Amino acid sequence: DPEYSLLMPDKRLALDAIKTNLRTTAPELATCSGLSINSATYWLNKIAGETGAKLEVANDGTVYYCFTPNFSGVYRRRGRRRAALLAGAFLFKSLYWVVRVSFGVALMTSVLVIVLIFVALILLAIASIFDGGGDSGDFGSFDGSGFFDTNFLSDIFSWDYSPSHSSYQNSIPSAQRDRYTDFIEKHPKGNFFLECFSFLFGDGKPNSNLQKLRWQQIAATIRANGGVVSAEQLAPFLDGDTSDSGMVMSALAQFNGHPEVTKSGFIVYVFPDYISEQPLVQQQQQHEKEQEQESYLKEESWKFSNFPPLPLLNVLMLAIFNFCGSWWLFKHIATINLLHHLAALIDVLLTYSIILLVIPAVRYVILLVLNQRIDSRNEKRRKAAELVKQPQGEILKEIEEAKAIQREHAELLRIDRKIIFDSGKDSLEQKFETTN
């Protein structure tokens, strides 16, 4: 919000006036700051919403805005936080593309390296068989009987998952063919890297336009109620209750409204720009037809990915293959001389393969928690909307008094607006025309 900045002259005037009088009204603020009454009302609501001010009602019905002594400190804290966020955003944008592409490239590279190592081991095993088990070049002796060890799967659950490279002995023979060297994954060209990134980090926030949608629905509600609403009528578009005074104040600033006290002491919110001569019942019926499915603000749940399941399954299978292959190589470093020479590379491959599986798993759990909170907020808003649809007790009384205030304001629009004075005409001539 650009208006959060303290560089705006009118806002500085309003802040300085509030500091001298922490309990103020719009007329008092206009007097002290030199702002117009409309500008003073706007900035009073804006600052109150940003700093968490509260409302107080006097015996005569005057509504006071009450600020804490250190209310302006929120702007200094936000300024520091904003500077840190801007710096972080710059770094994030600089690294975003690199991270996005590197994970896909690293996955393909790691799979390719693992396949090449397996192919090399197979070739060495074949060469060792044809040479009668002789020396296999600079890599030392190679025992083909230990190559196809399927018990490495059980080693995943072993407590001693990191055997010594120099002392570990493989004594379990196996004659199975390696089924992973024939692994072929087909990915659409130009989409695979995006699928990898989506699998790892998702596709962004699902409610990036939530604030815009909130304002649209609040504006529709204000219009449907003739320009006068209660806090309960705004609750379905806030957090489901009436405690979010900061958002209410922001709505007052957004739509040029002001609080007003009913005869029973309830605080309702009047938006003069939405006061209409059209009958209130007719406005509500029109609103119900237009906004039948928008009785409350509904947040969308986080998605694990926007891609269909099949491409993500392909990425998952490739990641699992990457993990199994790198784990097998890691477990046989001490028994195969070729792998012993590539120990550092294998450690890197195993670390990457674990990260490739851990990040989506952790993100999945986090999304479950976030979606539970979203469901909870949506449920609170839905219940708040039900209370407004079928109001009872104090809520019904408050809404009825809000309607009475709306009718009073609407009556002012029906006053005879016949022109009785025109500065472009002679006053005696106008007086004669009025008399006749």
Side-chain angles (χ1 to χ4, degrees):
D1 184 359
E3 293 181 350
Y4 218 106
S5 172
L6 300 182
L7 301 178
M8 305 191 70
D10 288 355
K11 189 170 189 176
R12 288 299 320 174
L13 292 174
L15 283 169
D16 293 339
I18 293 173
K19 289 178 181 178
T20 61
N21 187 10
L22 297 176
R23 187 171 179 267
T24 185
T25 63
E28 292 177 356
L29 181 64
T31 302
C32 297
S33 63
L35 298 172
S36 66
I37 186 64
N38 288 335
S39 181
T41 301
Y42 173 82
W43 285 114
L44 186 58
N45 289 322
K46 190 75 173 177
I47 296 172
E50 293 171 347
T51 59
K54 64 179 182 177
L55 299 178
E56 291 183 353
V57 181
N59 290 331
D60 60 354
T62 303
V63 179
Y64 289 93
Y65 292 75
C66 297
F67 298 83
T68 58
N70 60 342
F71 78 98
S72 60
V74 67
Y75 293 104
R76 291 190 294 271
R77 292 191 296 271
R78 183 180 173 91
R80 291 192 292 267
R81 184 166 62 249
R82 182 173 177 80
L85 288 175
L86 287 175
F90 176 78
L91 294 176
F92 177 79
K93 290 180 179 179
S94 301
L95 297 175
Y96 180 80
W97 185 87
V98 175
V99 173
R100 175 176 175 172
V101 176
S102 65
F103 270 90
V105 173
L107 176 60
M108 294 298 296
T109 303
S110 62
V111 171
L112 179 61
V113 170
I114 291 174
V115 170
L116 290 176
I117 293 176
F118 272 102
V119 170
L121 291 176
I122 292 174
L123 294 177
L124 288 175
I126 295 175
S128 176
I129 293 174
F130 281 103
D131 290 342
D135 189 12
S136 299
D138 295 335
F139 298 113
S141 62
F142 180 84
D143 184 8
S145 63
F147 177 68
F148 303 105
D149 179 13
T150 58
N151 288 331
F152 78 94
L153 293 175
S154 62
D155 290 338
I156 295 176
F157 305 99
S158 174
W159 180 263
D160 184 16
Y161 60 87
S162 180
S164 170
H165 291 175
S166 59
S167 62
Y168 182 79
Q169 297 296 325
N170 182 10
S171 60
I172 303 177
S174 176
Q176 302 178 20
R177 290 180 59 86
D178 179 38
R179 61 182 181 275
Y180 296 116
T181 53
D182 296 328
F183 182 87
I184 299 176
E185 280 291 337
K186 296 181 180 179
H187 298 278
K189 293 183 178 180
N191 289 334
F192 175 73
F193 294 136
L194 295 178
E195 293 166 5
C196 289
F197 183 78
S198 178
F199 176 77
L200 284 166
F201 303 111
D203 300 294
K205 297 174 61 176
N207 298 293
S208 57
N209 65 335
L210 183 66
Q211 191 66 4
K212 179 181 178 180
L213 184 61
R214 188 198 304 272
W215 290 140
Q216 290 175 345
Q217 295 183 357
I218 288 178
T221 300
I222 295 171
R223 184 177 64 251
N225 289 276
V228 182
V229 295
S230 65
E232 286 74 17
Q233 290 172 306
L234 294 179
F237 310 103
L238 306 179
D239 285 334
D241 52 41
T242 58
S243 62
D244 193 357
S245 59
M247 184 59 68
V248 173
M249 298 294 181
S250 298
L252 293 178
Q254 183 78 11
F255 302 109
N256 191 30
H258 62 270
E260 194 167 315
V261 182
T262 67
K263 61 181 181 181
S264 298
F266 297 110
I267 297 180
V268 296
Y269 305 98
V270 180
F271 300 87
D273 296 336
Y274 289 86
I275 300 293
S276 175
E277 298 181 54
Q278 185 180 7
L280 188 57
V281 175
Q282 185 177 349
Q283 296 180 49
Q284 291 176 339
Q285 290 176 349
Q286 181 180 357
H287 173 70
E288 290 175 0
K289 292 179 181 179
E290 296 176 352
Q291 309 290 340
E292 185 176 356
Q293 303 299 326
E294 299 180 0
S295 59
Y296 66 96
L297 180 65
K298 185 176 181 180
E299 295 182 58
E300 297 294 332
S301 299
W302 285 82
K303 293 182 179 180
F304 183 80
S305 172
N306 290 332
F307 283 91
L310 183 58
L312 296 181
L313 181 62
N314 293 336
V315 178
L316 176 61
M317 293 299 296
L318 198 59
I320 292 175
F321 166 75
N322 190 26
F323 171 74
C324 293
S326 58
W327 180 268
W328 190 95
L329 295 175
F330 175 76
K331 295 296 289 185
H332 291 78
I333 288 177
T335 60
I336 302 176
N337 287 339
L338 172 62
L339 301 184
H340 188 73
H341 287 81
L342 303 175
L345 176 61
I346 293 173
D347 289 341
V348 172
L349 292 175
L350 179 61
T351 302
Y352 172 76
S353 66
I354 294 175
I355 293 176
L356 196 64
L357 292 175
V358 169
I359 290 179
V362 172
R363 188 168 66 86
Y364 180 78
V365 174
I366 293 176
L367 293 186
L368 289 179
V369 176
L370 293 177
N371 286 336
Q372 287 179 353
R373 294 180 179 179
I374 289 177
D375 292 340
S376 176
R377 290 195 295 269
N378 286 339
E379 181 63 17
K380 289 177 64 177
R381 296 190 187 105
R382 188 191 65 80
K383 291 181 178 179
E386 292 295 330
L387 290 177
V388 175
K389 284 184 178 179
Q390 299 176 346
Q392 298 177 357
E394 293 293 315
I395 297 178
L396 176 60
K397 184 178 181 181
E398 182 178 2
I399 293 177
E400 290 297 330
E401 293 187 1
K403 291 180 180 179
I405 291 180
Q406 192 277 336
R407 287 191 292 268
E408 292 176 2
H409 285 274
E411 283 294 331
L412 298 177
L413 299 178
R414 301 189 183 98
I415 296 176
D416 185 11
R417 292 187 173 88
K418 181 181 178 181
I419 303 299
I420 60 174
F421 178 78
D422 186 346
S423 61
K425 295 182 180 181
D426 183 78
S427 59
L428 292 177
E429 180 183 355
Q430 295 183 66
K431 183 176 181 182
F432 177 78
E433 291 177 353
T434 304
T435 303
N436 293 338

